[in-house]
Amino acid sequence: MIEKCRFVEFEQKGDERGHLVIVEGNRDIPFEIKRIFYIYGSDTDVVRGQHANRETEFVLINVSGTSKVKVDDGYNQYVVELDKPHTGIFLPTMV
């Protein structure tokens, strides 16, 4: 299952006014977007998640700062660092 995880990069637009990233479900993300979660104000040592989702796929995007994500399917694991607001990682079910 872990081999289905992959980085995704979203198109960036911008000029002197700043940057704009557009993310569309079933286009930029390989599924329909039904819910968005975001976290802020956490201390650097806070751990979240620590569970697989039986029916839900995710794309994790870090819009500010840096987050380390441990990708684990119960057999294999690795850590990725998310530090660009125009990239994310796709996590299928049970990862």
Side-chain angles (χ1 to χ4, degrees):
M1 199 51 84
I2 205 165
E3 66 277 356
K4 292 185 178 181
C5 299
R6 61 182 170 87
F7 277 99
V8 289
E9 186 166 348
F10 307 109
E11 182 181 358
Q12 296 184 84
K13 299 182 182 285
D15 55 25
E16 66 279 351
R17 299 171 294 169
H19 300 281
L20 175 68
V21 177
I22 301 167
V23 179
E24 294 184 33
N26 291 323
R27 181 176 166 208
D28 305 299
I29 291 180
F31 53 83
E32 178 185 349
I33 300 169
K34 293 185 178 179
R35 186 176 298 141
I36 296 173
F37 303 92
Y38 62 94
I39 301 165
Y40 64 95
S42 296
D43 291 331
T44 58
D45 58 348
V46 168
V47 176
R48 300 200 48 106
Q50 296 185 302
H51 64 282
N53 289 278
R54 293 183 187 271
E55 299 177 9
T56 307
E57 300 172 299
F58 285 93
V59 172
L60 303 178
I61 303 166
N62 191 40
V63 297
S64 178
T66 300
S67 294
K68 291 183 181 177
V69 178
K70 180 165 55 169
V71 180
D72 184 343
D73 68 358
Y75 303 100
N76 302 293
Q77 64 180 329
Y78 59 91
V79 175
V80 297
E81 190 169 276
L82 299 176
D83 61 357
K84 296 174 185 67
H86 65 281
T87 62
I89 186 166
F90 167 69
L91 302 177
T93 59
M94 295 308 296
V95 174

